[in-house]
Amino acid sequence: NKENKMKQRDYNLDLIKTLAIIATVGIHLNACGSICQIYSKTWNFFVLFGSLLRFCVPVFCMATGYLLYTKDSIDINKILKKVLKFAIIFVLAEIVYRISYCPYMKYLYGEKIVLHNIIEDILQGNIKPHLYFLQIISLVYLFAPLGILIVKNENKELSYLLKLWIILSMCTLFLADIVNIRIFKIFNIYILNGAYNFIIYALLGAYIRQYKKIHVNFNTILCILGFLIGYLGVVFIMWKLSKTSGQSDYSIWDSVNIFTFLMSYSLFVLALKVKINSNKIKKILTLVSQNTMGIYLVHVLFTDFIHNMDYDYINFFGIEKILILFIDLFIILFLSLGISILAKKIFQRN
């Protein structure tokens, strides 16, 4: 039975999710570089490394759509239960983060812990920024019944929708914001740069699975080139925007744009091409893939510790900066994975 399950499991998708969660942790470890003087060596590394990881959220959405939107049918009650579960996780996670921050407030910063102020701060919407992903993934799940219908009855309509999305949302609006061509501004009326883009990313993941052979057979060199063009585009735009504003302007990292799309699509296809033969690698990828949510929730406790105790890579010198960053990344991934596995076992027993 175990051998049959191993044969049926899509380890390439596990690889995709593993790369995405590594990128997620890397982004949060790298974030401290934003306070450095622009165009300093550390700031340049912050831009180069941070830009390399911008595929994580789109790729997670694509992976979700790859599995969810290609089902034959789906129980709407199960979808609603899943979304409710995300909402509960959202609330509980924020509570845990607040409690974990209290020792820093009291003993490190000498601040008073006032419950009323904490509650008021939460009600003002000041939550951990990374939790927005739970809202995004909830939207992706809520769209699932319609997404499955679109994919199931696909007859080039989805291909048309994706091309239209790339032209309007990825290119036109992006140019309107970056190049500041006035005539393009009219497209902002339609608010095309919204959260719906992540639903389209999920549909893209489903589309790739529907026509998997075509995408997997896509020229590998062109995929690598696509990723590099996307990456260099993100780096260039961030440098350009920061030079114009005189400070770190990483709006390109948070926006929906053609360069991030190129990185995400190219990486997804490249990962599908990889031949995974080693059973040990398969087990590791499966373990990480099954615990991506746990790693996503837990790793922030460790990055907060590093930031509050001034162990960030920016506080080191020379090559030590890079070594510290990657050592921290490995340790946090390992510890977060271990805690996630342990938590799952405890909940399963209960």
Side-chain angles (χ1 to χ4, degrees), residues 118-129:
I118 293 172
I119 294 171
E120 186 64 29
D121 194 48
I122 293 172
L123 293 174
Q124 290 294 326
N126 296 319
I127 58 164
K128 278 288 184 184

Side-chain angles (χ1 to χ4, degrees), residues 228-273:
L228 288 174
I229 291 170
Y231 169 61
L232 293 173
V234 172
V235 170
F236 173 76
I237 295 298
M238 183 164 175
W239 273 335
K240 182 180 180 295
L241 292 175
S242 298
K243 185 178 181 180
T244 303
S245 64
Q247 59 185 359
S248 291
D249 186 335
Y250 35 88
S251 55
I252 180 70
W253 284 357
D254 300 321
S255 69
V256 177
N257 59 80
I258 189 63
F259 296 122
T260 306
F261 166 79
L262 278 173
M263 289 177 68
S264 305
Y265 172 78
S266 300
L267 183 81
F268 201 96
V269 173
L270 284 168
L272 288 178
K273 287 173 170 284

Side-chain angles (χ1 to χ4, degrees), residues 46-308:
F46 158 72
V47 173
L48 290 169
F49 185 61
S51 298
L52 187 66
L53 309 174
R54 304 329 294 185
F55 61 82
C56 62
V57 174
V59 161
F60 265 130
C61 292
M62 289 167 71
T64 303
Y66 185 92
L67 287 176
L68 186 62
Y69 290 3
T70 52
K71 291 179 179 289
D72 291 329
S73 60
I74 199 158
D75 187 342
I76 293 176
N77 288 326
K78 284 185 178 180
I79 290 291
L80 295 175
K81 285 179 182 178
K82 191 79 172 178
V83 172
L84 179 61
K85 182 182 175 182
F86 288 142
I88 293 168
I89 290 171
F90 182 94
V91 173
L92 292 178
E94 182 60 26
I95 291 170
V96 170
Y97 296 147
R98 293 285 176 163
I99 293 170
S100 71
Y101 190 68
C102 286
Y104 300 122
M105 288 178 67
K106 185 174 181 180
Y107 300 110
L108 196 61
Y109 302 114
E111 297 177 10
K112 289 184 179 180
I113 300 169
V114 182
L115 184 60
H116 172 76
N117 291 345
I118 293 172
I119 294 171
E120 186 64 29
D121 194 48
I122 293 172
L123 293 174
Q124 290 294 326
N126 296 319
I127 58 164
K128 278 288 184 184
H130 80 292
L131 287 177
Y132 85 101
F133 175 73
L134 289 174
Q135 297 169 328
I136 287 170
I137 211 69
S138 294
L139 284 174
V140 170
Y141 267 85
L142 286 171
F143 193 79
L146 186 55
I148 290 168
L149 191 65
I150 291 170
V151 174
K152 195 174 181 180
N153 299 309
E154 206 279 315
N155 186 24
K156 296 185 179 180
E157 295 89 355
L158 182 53
S159 174
Y160 173 78
L161 174 64
L162 291 170
K163 287 172 184 174
L164 190 66
W165 169 62
I166 291 167
I167 293 167
L168 289 179
S169 192
M170 294 290 168
C171 298
T172 308
L173 269 180
F174 175 64
L175 284 172
D177 290 334
I178 301 301
V179 185
N180 199 27
I181 298 174
R182 288 185 178 181
I183 196 169
F184 283 170
K185 291 292 183 180
I186 191 172
F187 287 100
N188 283 330
I189 295 169
Y190 303 103
I191 317 173
L192 292 172
N193 235 352
Y196 86 95
N197 286 285
F198 296 105
I199 293 172
I200 308 293
Y201 267 120
L203 284 170
L204 175 62
Y207 182 76
I208 290 171
R209 191 177 190 184
Q210 283 288 93
Y211 301 99
K212 191 173 179 179
K213 284 186 178 180
I214 294 171
H215 293 279
V216 170
N217 291 329
F218 198 71
N219 189 283
T220 302
I221 295 173
L222 287 178
C223 285
I224 295 170
L225 190 63
F227 185 88
L228 288 174
I229 291 170
Y231 169 61
L232 293 173
V234 172
V235 170
F236 173 76
I237 295 298
M238 183 164 175
W239 273 335
K240 182 180 180 295
L241 292 175
S242 298
K243 185 178 181 180
T244 303
S245 64
Q247 59 185 359
S248 291
D249 186 335
Y250 35 88
S251 55
I252 180 70
W253 284 357
D254 300 321
S255 69
V256 177
N257 59 80
I258 189 63
F259 296 122
T260 306
F261 166 79
L262 278 173
M263 289 177 68
S264 305
Y265 172 78
S266 300
L267 183 81
F268 201 96
V269 173
L270 284 168
L272 288 178
K273 287 173 170 284
V274 176
K275 291 182 180 179
I276 306 167
N277 298 317
S278 169
N279 285 333
K280 285 185 179 179
I281 293 174
K282 286 179 180 178
K283 286 178 181 178
I284 292 170
L285 292 176
T286 301
L287 199 62
V288 176
S289 177
Q290 290 174 340
N291 287 278
T292 50
M293 180 60 77
I295 295 170
Y296 156 79
L297 292 169
V298 172
H299 83 275
V300 180
L301 297 173
F302 295 111
T303 55
D304 277 354
F305 174 78
I306 287 171
H307 295 330
N308 285 297

Side-chain angles (χ1 to χ4, degrees), residues 287 291 336-346:
L287 199 62
N291 287 278
S336 299
L337 176 61
I339 292 171
S340 177
I341 293 168
L342 185 62
K344 272 189 173 182
K345 285 183 179 180
I346 291 169

